[in-house]
Amino acid sequence: MVGGTKRRSAAATTSSSPLPPPSAAKKRKPQPTPFTSEELMPLLRLLASAISGPLRFLSSADHLLLPSQSLSLDSSIESAAFSLSGLLSLLPPDSLSLDPPPPHSPWFTRFVAAFPADDRRWVESFRMSKLSFDGLLQSLSHSLQSEPSAAAAVPPDVKLGAALFRLAHAAPYRAVARRFGLPSPDAACRAFYEVCKAITDRLVSLFELSSDLRRVVRGFEQLSLPNCCGVLGFARFAVEGASRGGSVIAQGLVDSEGRFLDVSVGWHGSMLPAQIITRTKLYKAQASVLGLGSPVELNGGSVPQYLLGGSCCPLLPRLLTPFRGMDSSLNSSKAASFNNVHARGMEVVYRAFGRLRSRWQLLQTSWKKECADALPYVIVASCLLHNFLVKCGEPMDDEIETTVGELDFPDFEGKGDEDGERIREMLASHLSLVSSE
């Protein structure tokens, strides 16, 4: 009895707490042993050596690279150096450090010494030849002189080069400061806006609508547009945040060569072209500017001087837009003749805004909200630089040229002006006769 009781007790004990099978047992993962600083030191030395080499190259031979290449390498190496410096700061003092590159003259100094005036790298770096750079410097030099009492006076050519390089390549101020030997990113920022102000002050005469209207009209005659004084277009420039509707709108008037004759910038991104046009100085001055020229007689009617505008614009007495299906009592061939010539004219302003963005890539970036007030100022300076390069005969690099249309702006749905309709129909009849000859 006693033995049986013991066996039952043992059996009961065994059934109430059975041993888990081997497969069900939890396997504990071994915990990795942390590396000591002594064990990490060979790897850190290797990393420091790998980063020091490119840093030395950037400080001595980066002028041999294309700007896009050197900026990309600069950004990558700077990021890697910053991360490694953070790791090295955790080591005991004086155990290992990232050797700074040996001192060298700034990139701009080495660039000027290495490349002659006819070298293509001037255009790649500054969007203009050395001859045009020197001509621009001569025009702006007086405005770029530093105060005699300044602790670290920056030469005018350095200021101009730094501003053009940032504008052309959207280079950050830190990279600009390093390349041009400026003491800090803030100094690079000051130089940039100082140059923009000098451009808008000294080159404003390059907006030639009122001063050279005869030349403008002759240019459009080559496009079969008699008495035309310019093509009106619009472009958006991105701004972060919603305070400006996500963009700033620019209205530009260009001649047949793509020069900007008038620019109005800073309009809220939510506005429509029809709302902008009537608020600009150009609209308010059109009678005094366009009214100076004589009308031309076409098909027994008088056509005053006028502007072309896209389908996003209202039809006005001095602003002619393309025909739409419901607009015209003319036959379709006359309306088509006008629209074909009108489209060729509009290409001029689309191409001008496209070249502006392509040459000055800073305008392709989205501007921070706190910098948005300066954007219109920079756009105007860019337009004047564009005109300066057209005047100098600087060719546009086909590899970076783009065309910008007005796809962001809806067609104007309102009724056209009756005088505008009459003038447009006379011009359409004339163009239809010319095209049939």
Side-chain angles (χ1 to χ4, degrees):
M1 291 294 293
V2 175
T5 302
K6 287 182 179 179
R7 283 196 296 271
R8 284 195 300 270
S9 176
T13 302
T14 302
S15 62
S16 62
S17 57
L19 292 175
S23 59
K26 293 184 179 179
K27 297 181 180 179
R28 294 183 178 180
K29 295 181 180 179
Q31 294 297 320
T33 304
F35 289 102
T36 65
S37 58
E38 290 79 8
E39 292 172 323
L40 286 174
M41 196 65 69
L43 176 60
L44 293 175
R45 286 197 182 96
L46 185 61
L47 289 173
S49 176
I51 293 175
S52 296
L55 283 174
R56 287 193 297 270
F57 173 82
L58 283 175
S59 66
S60 62
D62 56 348
H63 62 287
L64 302 176
L65 300 175
L66 293 174
S68 58
Q69 294 171 330
S70 64
L71 285 169
S72 177
L73 183 60
D74 192 6
S75 176
S76 300
I77 296 303
E78 182 179 345
S79 177
F82 179 79
S83 298
L84 181 59
S85 297
L87 288 175
L88 297 181
S89 66
L90 302 177
L91 298 177
D94 300 326
S95 57
L96 181 62
S97 62
L98 189 61
D99 294 332
H104 286 279
S105 56
W107 173 89
F108 184 61
T109 303
R110 289 180 278 114
F111 181 93
V112 172
F115 302 121
D118 59 350
D119 197 287
R120 174 69 183 170
R121 288 177 178 83
W122 279 92
V123 177
E124 292 170 348
S125 295
F126 303 107
R127 299 295 189 248
M128 64 186 68
S129 65
K130 177 66 160 60
L131 181 63
S132 295
F133 183 95
D134 289 341
L136 181 60
L137 178 62
Q138 185 176 3
S139 299
L140 305 180
S141 183
H142 179 75
S143 299
L144 299 181
Q145 296 288 345
S146 298
E147 294 291 334
S149 59
V154 180
D157 63 330
V158 173
K159 292 180 182 178
L160 179 59
L164 291 177
F165 191 87
R166 170 166 168 75
L167 196 57
H169 305 287
Y173 286 123
R174 184 181 299 278
V176 172
R178 186 184 70 79
R179 278 168 176 73
F180 291 86
L182 300 173
S184 67
D186 285 345
C189 179
R190 288 193 297 272
F192 176 73
Y193 286 110
E194 186 177 345
V195 171
C196 287
K197 183 179 188 306
I199 290 170
T200 55
D201 289 345
R202 294 280 177 172
L203 301 185
V204 69
S205 61
L206 293 179
F207 290 148
E208 299 176 343
L209 177 60
S210 58
S211 63
D212 203 6
L213 199 55
R214 290 184 180 180
R215 177 193 64 78
V216 175
V217 171
R218 287 196 302 269
F220 281 107
E221 288 174 352
Q222 304 302 313
L223 297 179
S224 301
L225 288 165
N227 232 17
C228 181
C229 296
V231 184
L232 197 68
F234 298 84
R236 293 185 185 275
F237 298 88
V239 175
E240 294 178 0
S243 61
R244 291 177 178 263
S247 66
V248 163
I249 298 177
Q251 173 188 283
L253 181 72
V254 304
D255 66 10
S256 60
E257 299 177 74
R259 296 189 229 202
F260 288 93
L261 302 172
D262 181 85
V263 177
S264 181
V265 193
W267 302 100
H268 194 278
S270 65
M271 295 182 70
L272 298 174
Q275 297 171 314
I276 295 171
I277 289 171
T278 55
R279 302 185 186 188
T280 62
K281 292 181 179 179
L282 175 64
Y283 179 81
K284 296 172 183 176
Q286 61 176 325
S288 60
V289 175
L290 302 184
L292 296 176
S294 302
V296 296
E297 296 299 321
L298 299 176
N299 306 315
S302 180
V303 175
Q305 292 184 330
Y306 60 89
L307 308 176
L308 290 187
S311 57
C312 61
C313 301
L315 175 65
L316 302 172
R318 294 188 183 273
L319 181 63
L320 304 186
T321 59
F323 285 104
R324 295 176 295 180
M326 70 292 293
D327 283 341
S328 177
S329 59
L330 297 178
N331 61 50
S332 59
S333 64
K334 290 183 179 181
S337 295
F338 177 86
N339 282 358
N340 287 338
V341 176
H342 185 283
R344 291 202 300 271
M346 293 304 301
E347 281 297 318
V348 177
V349 71
Y350 299 155
R351 191 179 304 114
F353 273 122
R355 288 183 170 187
L356 188 75
R357 293 181 192 272
S358 298
R359 264 195 175 120
W360 312 120
Q361 294 180 15
L362 186 63
L363 301 182
Q364 298 182 25
T365 63
S366 182
W367 282 58
K368 294 182 179 179
K369 179 181 177 181
E370 58 269 23
C371 301
D373 289 341
L375 177 55
Y377 191 62
V378 175
I379 295 171
V380 172
S382 300
C383 291
L384 288 168
L385 283 173
H386 170 92
N387 286 4
F388 175 81
L389 296 180
V390 173
K391 188 174 183 178
C392 291
E394 289 282 351
M396 184 69 188
D397 194 336
D398 292 337
E399 295 182 359
I400 64 171
E401 182 170 358
T402 59
T403 298
V404 177
E406 292 180 343
L407 301 179
D408 289 341
F409 301 100
D411 289 352
F412 178 72
E413 298 295 341
K415 180 176 174 55
D417 179 89
E418 291 183 2
D419 287 337
E421 289 178 354
R422 176 183 58 81
I423 293 169
R424 183 174 63 178
E425 292 190 3
M426 281 192 295
L427 191 55
S429 297
H430 165 76
L431 293 175
S432 178
L433 290 174
V434 170
S435 62
S436 63
E437 292 179 356

